[in-house]
Amino acid sequence: MKLINFSRINHQFVAVFCVNIISLAHGSAIGWLSPFLPILLSDASPLTTGKITMDEASWIGALLCAGGIFGCVVFGSLSTRCGRKTTILLLAVPHVGFWLCVIFADYVYHLYLARFLAGATGGGLYIIIPLFVAEIADANIRGRLGAILPLAVSMGIFNGFVSGTFIHYSYIPYLMLSFSVVFLLSVIVLPETPNSLLQANRITEAETSYRFYKNVPVDSVDNKIKEDFVRVREQQLKNSSREEKLQFSDFTTETAKKGFTIGVGLMLLTQFCGCFAFVNYTATIFKESGSELDPNISSIVIGMVQIFGTYTSTIFVDRAGRKTLLLISSIGAAAGLTLMGTYSFLKFQGYALTFFDWVPVVTLSLVIYISSVGILALPYIVLTEVLPSKIRAVGSSFCLVTISISAFVILKAMPILMTTIKLFGCLWLFAGFCILGAIFIALVVPETKGKVLDDEVPAQPKELQQTA
C-alpha cells in the first residue's frame, strides 16, 4: 500500500482550498434564494414594488443559468488570455456585484441582475478552478483536489440555507461579502500555474511556480524536480509549436470528439437526474410528497445530505475511481427516484400511506446523497481529464454552456411538468434519464483515475511516495 508524502504536496492542498473560498461564497449566493424567496412572495417583501409574482420568482431562479452561460464564455476566454490565477481573482467581480444588487434592490429587475451575476460567477468557477487543479496537482491526488470544488459549493449552499433561516435578510449580504475579502487576500499571494507562465514564455517564474507547488525550495538542488520541469517545458513547447491559434482540425481528432461526447453526456446527466431542480424546489416537492417538515428545515436537511455525499466523493474518488462512482451514483439515483415516484403515484391514487410518511424524506435524501457522490461531483473532474490540453479551456466552456442551457430548461419546465404529469411522472422521467446515464457511463466513459495528462510529467517522482 502506497502512502502520499504530504510534506511534498501540501502547497497544492493549500492553494486549492484558497481558490475554493469563492466556491463556498458562490454556494452561499445560491442557497440565499431558498429562504429568501418566500419573503419576496409575501407582503413582507423588502422591494419597493411589494411582493413578486410566481412568474417573476421563476425568472429569478432561471436567470442563474443564463448568467452561467455568460460566465462560461467570458471566463473561459479570459483563462487563456490572462492566465489561471488572474481569471480566478476576477471571479470576485460578479460575485461582489451580486451582493451589491441584493443590498440596493428596489425592484425585481435588480434581483434579476443579481442572479445573472451569481450565475456568471458559477459558470466561471466551474471552468477555471478545474483547469487550475489540473495544472498544479499530482495525478494521484488530482481527483481528491478536484472534488473540493463541489464540496465547497455544497457547504456554501448549506450556509445560505442556514443563514437565511436564522439571520435577518438585511444583514446577510454584508456577512457574505467577507468571503470575497478573504478569497482575494488568500489567492493574490499564490503564484500563477507553471503552464500559464510557460505559455507566456516566463521560464524562470514557471520553474519557481513549479517548485512552489511541489514544495521544493528554489535554492534546493533537486535534479529530479529539475528534470521533471524540463519535461513539462518541452511538452508545453511541443503543444505551442503545433500552432498558436486553435484550428478546426483540433476539434475533429478522435480524442477531441470522444472528449466532447463524454463531457456533454455527463453534463446533461448532472441536470436530467433532477437533483438541481430538487434543490431549487425542495419545499414544493416535500409539500407535494406529503412531508410535513417546515420548508426551510427541509432545505437545511437536503443541504446537509449534499455535503455528506460530496465529502464521500472526495474520499473515494482516487480510490474507487471516477467510473465506478459514476455508475454507482447513476444506478442508486435511479432506484431512489423510482421508489419515491411509486410512493407519489400510490398517494395520488388514494392509497392510505400513513405509516410510510418517512418515505419522501428518506428517498429524496438518498437521491441527493448518492448523486452527490458521483454524477453531481465528478463530471467536472473527468472533463479536464478527457479533453486534450490544447482545447481544454474552450472544450470546458462549451460543455459548461451545455449544462447551463439544460439547467435553465429543467428549472423552467419543472413546475409545468409537476402540473401536467404530476410529481410521480417527473420522478420516473428523471429515473429513466439516470438509467440511460448509467448505460452511457458503462459503454463510453473511460476510467481516468491516475491518468497522466498530455501536458504533465509522465511519472511522479518516487520521493513523493512512501511504502507503508
Side-chain angles (χ1 to χ4, degrees):
M1 174 181 168
K2 291 183 177 179
L3 298 177
I4 301 170
N5 184 350
F6 283 97
S7 66
R8 295 297 296 267
I9 46 83
N10 57 12
H11 282 187
Q12 296 173 25
F13 277 92
V14 172
V16 173
F17 277 115
C18 288
V19 299
N20 274 298
I21 294 173
I22 193 65
S23 304
L24 180 69
H26 172 65
S28 300
I30 296 176
W32 160 88
L33 181 63
S34 180
F36 191 54
L37 194 56
I39 298 174
L40 291 171
L41 290 165
S42 71
D43 293 330
S45 172
L47 298 179
T48 303
T49 51
K51 65 181 180 180
I52 64 174
T53 65
M54 282 301 298
D55 183 60
E56 290 171 333
S58 70
W59 278 108
I60 291 175
L63 279 170
L64 180 79
C65 307
I69 297 173
F70 176 79
C72 288
V73 175
V74 171
F75 287 102
S77 176
L78 289 174
S79 68
T80 57
R81 289 177 169 83
C82 304
R84 311 310 193 203
K85 173 189 168 181
T86 302
T87 306
I88 289 173
L89 287 169
L90 289 173
L91 290 172
V93 175
H95 179 73
V96 170
F98 165 80
W99 288 117
L100 291 178
C101 285
V102 172
I103 291 171
F104 297 108
D106 288 324
Y107 304 97
V108 69
Y109 305 106
H110 296 155
L111 296 181
Y112 289 167
L113 177 59
R115 286 284 284 181
F116 182 88
L117 291 173
T121 304
L125 69 86
Y126 276 111
I127 284 181
I128 188 61
I129 291 180
L131 291 175
F132 178 85
V133 172
E135 292 182 1
I136 71 162
D138 290 351
N140 62 336
I141 60 168
R142 189 170 57 237
R144 213 174 314 176
L145 292 179
I148 292 174
L149 165 58
L151 176 62
V153 173
S154 297
M155 293 175 67
I157 292 173
F158 178 73
N159 178 50
F161 287 163
V162 173
S163 300
T165 301
F166 298 108
I167 300 175
H168 193 273
Y169 63 83
S170 63
Y171 299 139
I172 292 175
Y174 299 100
L175 294 174
M176 297 304 179
L177 281 171
S178 62
F179 284 115
S180 299
V181 176
V182 175
F183 164 71
L184 291 170
L185 293 176
S186 301
V187 175
I188 201 167
V189 299
L190 295 175
E192 180 59 270
T193 67
N195 299 67
S196 291
L197 292 169
L198 286 171
Q199 286 176 355
N201 203 31
R202 294 156 63 182
I203 310 302
T204 303
E205 293 173 68
E207 182 173 1
T208 301
S209 171
Y210 188 81
R211 285 175 171 268
F212 172 83
Y213 288 116
K214 300 297 182 183
N215 202 10
V216 176
V218 177
D219 56 356
S220 171
V221 179
D222 192 321
N223 293 330
K224 183 61 177 174
I225 286 292
K226 199 166 188 66
E227 291 171 6
D228 288 344
F229 175 73
V230 169
R231 286 200 292 271
V232 171
R233 181 185 175 187
E234 290 174 349
Q235 183 63 49
Q236 188 67 47
L237 288 172
K238 182 180 177 182
N239 291 339
S240 300
S241 66
R242 294 171 187 166
E243 196 87 39
E244 277 299 320
K245 293 185 178 180
L246 287 173
Q247 303 290 327
F248 179 75
S249 58
D250 293 323
F251 299 91
T252 58
T253 65
E254 285 302 315
T255 303
K257 288 190 287 187
K258 185 173 182 180
F260 273 111
T261 300
I262 293 169
V264 171
L266 291 179
M267 294 300 138
L268 290 175
L269 179 58
T270 63
Q271 293 306 312
F272 286 96
C273 70
C275 289
F276 187 63
F278 295 157
V279 170
N280 281 269
Y281 297 112
T282 301
T284 303
I285 291 172
F286 268 80
K287 181 179 178 182
E288 288 290 324
S289 65
S291 172
E292 301 195 7
L293 272 177
D294 176 85
N296 287 338
I297 299 301
S298 67
S299 298
I300 291 174
V301 170
I302 293 301
M304 290 179 63
V305 170
Q306 191 171 10
I307 290 174
F308 288 132
T310 312
Y311 180 69
T312 302
S313 178
T314 66
I315 296 174
F316 291 104
V317 63
D318 284 320
R319 298 178 184 178
R322 284 67 153 154
K323 183 169 185 172
T324 301
L325 290 182
L326 286 168
L327 274 173
I328 293 173
S329 182
S330 300
I331 296 170
L337 288 165
T338 301
L339 181 59
M340 188 173 176
T342 302
Y343 173 90
S344 178
F345 175 75
L346 292 175
K347 184 187 174 190
F348 181 77
Q349 293 295 321
Y351 288 91
L353 301 173
T354 306
F355 296 105
F356 297 95
D357 285 345
W358 50 270
V359 170
V361 178
V362 172
T363 53
L364 185 57
S365 297
L366 169 66
V367 170
I368 294 295
Y369 175 82
I370 199 69
S371 297
S372 298
V373 170
I375 55 181
L376 294 183
L378 302 186
Y380 310 102
I381 300 172
V382 175
L383 182 60
T384 60
E385 296 174 329
V386 297
L387 288 173
S389 62
K390 191 174 182 182
I391 65 167
R392 193 174 293 149
V394 176
S396 297
S397 299
F398 177 82
C399 292
L400 286 166
V401 166
T402 301
I403 199 174
S404 296
I405 293 173
S406 57
F408 183 88
V409 171
I410 288 293
L411 288 180
K412 288 297 290 181
M414 185 72 175
I416 300 172
L417 290 174
M418 289 180 67
T419 302
T420 54
I421 63 175
K422 307 302 178 185
L423 177 60
F424 58 84
C426 293
L427 295 168
W428 287 340
L429 181 64
F430 291 140
F433 281 120
C434 287
I435 293 171
L436 290 176
I439 296 172
F440 173 80
I441 292 165
L443 298 179
V444 180
V445 179
E447 177 55 71
T448 57
K449 179 181 71 170
K451 178 185 177 184
V452 176
L453 304 184
D454 56 3
D455 56 351
E456 68 180 3
V457 179
Q460 185 187 0
K462 293 180 180 179
E463 293 90 341
L464 297 187
Q465 295 182 339
Q466 292 178 336
T467 302

